[in-house]
Amino acid sequence: LARTAVRCLAMQLMSDGFIHCDPHEGNLLGLPDGRVALLDFGLMAQMRRDHQEAMASGVLNIMAENYGALEEVFKGMGVLNTQVDDLRRDGVDEPFSDAIRRCMTGGAADERARNLIQDDDGGDRRRAFGQLYEELGELAFRYYFVIPSYYILVMRSFVTLEGIALSADDEFNMYEATAPYALRKLLTPRTQGGRALLRSAFLTATGRQALRQALSARALATLLRRLLQELNPLRRARRLLRAAGQRVRQATVAALEG
């Protein structure tokens, strides 16, 4: 149930950017055919396209342990203040790039020395999205963060779903679950910032590593099919015409019933 809901929210996040932000157990309904229905749309968030594309890049770079790219990713998400030259607040000596690398590697002096990001009991901290979210929140007191309206709501929804999933499956990995949707968003940019992130993914060694990490054999066929559908203007036009025709029919029925 939680895995399907995660995929559902990832699709919302990386497609229209209109996201259900209260996905606790009481708002998830398992249907007989295996689908999941989301209930109670009283708490929603709308993301901008540039924020979506930056977040997609962040997911893939975290999977590839390319933490040097995260500062620009966070700026693209609107989470870091782009109006200051130095992100450090008064009294902070550690550069932000070093702080985020230390956060993501669990304090290892050399991130290459540890293949897995581990917590105190040896668990893989990359799977614990909620824990990393808390640690990033602590960095906001030391560096110039700017918290967009969408950020808290979206992060809260994924932390909630991760907690549900991990309670049933301790091997659940939030980044792997959302990677196919993040990859699709990264490869179909619609903003200047998104195009810059895509160029970086193809033209730098670390960017290509992030792409290879995300391109699992299982996800590749589905991704290519969706990309072809997205890039085919005739299919897209037919889809838009069908949607418009459906709205016209609904409006006609409503008018007749009224």
Side-chain angles (χ1 to χ4, degrees):
L1 183 71
R3 284 180 177 273
T4 303
V6 166
R7 292 196 296 271
C8 179
L9 259 68
M11 184 167 56
Q12 294 175 28
L13 178 69
M14 297 300 173
S15 56
D16 296 326
F18 192 53
I19 309 153
H20 189 296
C21 293
D22 195 19
H24 58 76
E25 293 93 327
N27 285 340
L28 302 177
L29 178 63
L31 301 179
D33 60 2
R35 293 180 299 164
V36 173
L38 297 176
L39 309 177
D40 186 2
F41 288 81
L43 188 60
M44 305 290 294
Q46 179 70 62
M47 288 184 65
R48 290 173 12 193
R49 283 180 177 170
D50 56 338
H51 292 165
Q52 290 176 276
E53 292 166 352
M55 185 174 287
S57 177
V59 170
L60 302 183
N61 279 293
I62 288 174
M63 288 185 64
E65 301 184 31
N66 179 25
Y67 307 129
L70 293 183
E71 181 173 341
E72 290 304 314
V73 164
F74 289 155
K75 287 180 179 179
M77 289 170 56
V79 175
L80 290 177
N81 190 340
T82 59
Q83 305 301 315
V84 297
D85 296 327
D86 190 341
L87 291 168
R88 292 174 292 187
R89 296 184 183 274
D90 293 342
V92 176
D93 296 325
E94 187 179 29
F96 179 79
S97 58
D98 293 345
I100 191 65
R101 181 174 288 105
R102 178 176 49 78
C103 173
M104 298 298 295
T105 58
D110 183 355
E111 63 189 78
R112 293 173 300 179
R114 302 178 69 176
N115 187 37
L116 293 177
I117 306 171
Q118 297 178 336
D119 58 18
D120 292 338
D121 62 3
D124 183 356
R125 294 169 70 247
R126 278 185 302 175
R127 289 206 306 266
F129 176 80
Q131 181 179 349
L132 292 177
Y133 171 57
E134 290 181 4
E135 293 185 9
L136 290 175
E138 293 178 2
L139 292 182
F141 294 100
R142 301 172 54 207
Y143 301 90
Y144 286 107
F145 275 64
V146 179
I147 307 301
S149 57
Y150 80 86
Y151 180 78
I152 298 296
L153 292 175
V154 171
M155 295 299 104
R156 174 182 177 272
S157 66
F158 279 93
V159 169
T160 300
L161 280 178
E162 182 188 55
I164 299 172
L166 286 174
S167 66
D169 178 9
D170 59 6
E171 294 297 318
F172 176 76
N173 187 313
M174 177 64 76
Y175 301 103
E176 290 181 356
T178 57
Y181 305 95
L183 184 59
R184 178 190 178 193
K185 174 58 68 175
L186 182 64
L187 293 178
T188 56
R190 297 188 179 182
T191 69
Q192 182 178 355
R195 288 187 285 272
L197 290 169
L198 180 59
R199 283 195 298 271
S200 176
F202 279 109
L203 298 179
T204 65
T206 52
R208 290 192 293 272
Q209 179 187 355
L211 288 176
R212 285 194 299 270
Q213 184 82 13
L215 280 171
S216 66
R218 183 173 59 182
L220 183 57
T222 301
L223 173 68
L224 290 177
R225 184 172 63 252
R226 289 175 177 171
L227 282 174
L228 289 173
Q229 292 173 349
E230 187 73 21
L231 296 175
N232 188 322
L234 292 178
R235 288 186 178 182
R236 199 169 180 187
R238 286 197 296 267
R239 189 167 63 247
L240 291 174
L241 287 173
R242 284 197 300 269
Q246 184 178 4
R247 286 196 293 270
V248 170
R249 288 192 296 272
Q250 291 173 346
T252 303
V253 170
L256 294 174
E257 290 178 348

